[in-house]
Amino acid sequence: MVSPPLCSSTSKPFFSFSSVVRSSTVGRRIPIVGAICVLTLGLSNFYSSPFKTGFTHSLSSFPLLRSKQQSRSFRSTTAMAAASSTTVPSIVVYVTVPNKEAGKKLAESIVKERLAACVNRVPGIESVYEWKGEIQTDSEELLIIKTRESLLDTLTEHVKANHEYEVPEVIAMPIVGGNAPYLEWLKNSTRD
């Protein structure tokens, strides 16, 4: 039995390894496209393992085997290392508010207290969530807050004390890279 190529269920494969490799357990020919895919995916998954040792570590010397993500990660790490002398670990924090007035008031108080360098207000979001056993849908405004990682607890307490919601959203994500002068400005615009 001949295996069809990947994109067709009726045509015969244009080439197979059957004359070179034949599986004794499966008993069918392996299309070259499938073999290449398996080899490529196998190596890329094996290479991207967080436990790089031995063979996989030696693959890093072959530029064609490095993924774009690893290259970006390297560049980001390099950029952050260069900026580390003038920046601090920083985060982006998401907070939702019920309306424009509440968003403006909270954003201004956060910046005034130097708990963040910048707060972006994104109007017109719609949130769907479960609260007290019922599905709710509300129009809200999203605050995107850029600050130091060390200020997260203080910022969270400030939001809780100045927010209309019983349980306000405060979600933080690390900033892993970026424009070094901006990150330095972020540091200088917030309290220690």
Side-chain angles (χ1 to χ4, degrees), residues 95-170:
V95 174
T96 51
V97 292
N99 54 50
K100 182 178 181 177
E101 295 77 28
K104 183 175 181 184
K105 182 179 175 185
L106 185 56
E108 287 177 355
S109 71
I110 289 169
V111 173
K112 183 178 179 183
E113 293 292 320
R114 296 180 55 89
L115 294 172
C118 176
V119 179
N120 301 115
R121 295 176 38 226
V122 183
I125 65 165
E126 186 173 292
S127 298
V128 179
Y129 57 96
E130 184 179 337
W131 182 249
K132 297 185 178 180
E134 294 184 27
I135 302 297
Q136 307 286 326
T137 302
D138 289 318
S139 293
E140 293 183 300
E141 185 168 287
L142 175 65
L143 303 182
I144 303 173
I145 304 165
K146 278 81 72 175
T147 189
R148 295 174 181 226
E149 183 180 319
S150 62
L151 291 174
L152 179 59
D153 291 339
T154 308
L155 174 64
T156 301
E157 290 307 313
H158 181 85
V159 169
K160 288 166 55 177
N162 294 284
H163 205 289
E164 296 178 26
Y165 293 164
E166 185 179 335
V167 181
E169 172 186 355
V170 179

Side-chain angles (χ1 to χ4, degrees), residues 6 24-25 30 44 47-49 52 62 73 79 97 101 123-124 126 128 143 158 169 180 182 191:
L6 295 177
S24 60
T25 57
I30 302 171
S44 67
Y47 179 65
S48 65
S49 166
K52 283 199 282 185
F62 295 99
S73 174
V97 292
E101 295 77 28
E126 186 173 292
V128 179
L143 303 182
H158 181 85
E169 172 186 355
Y182 180 87
R191 61 167 108 159

Side-chain angles (χ1 to χ4, degrees), residues 55-71:
F55 174 70
T56 57
H57 184 68
S58 67
L59 289 176
S60 63
S61 62
F62 295 99
L64 294 176
L65 296 177
R66 290 188 201 137
S67 70
K68 288 181 183 178
Q69 181 181 7
Q70 289 164 331
S71 296

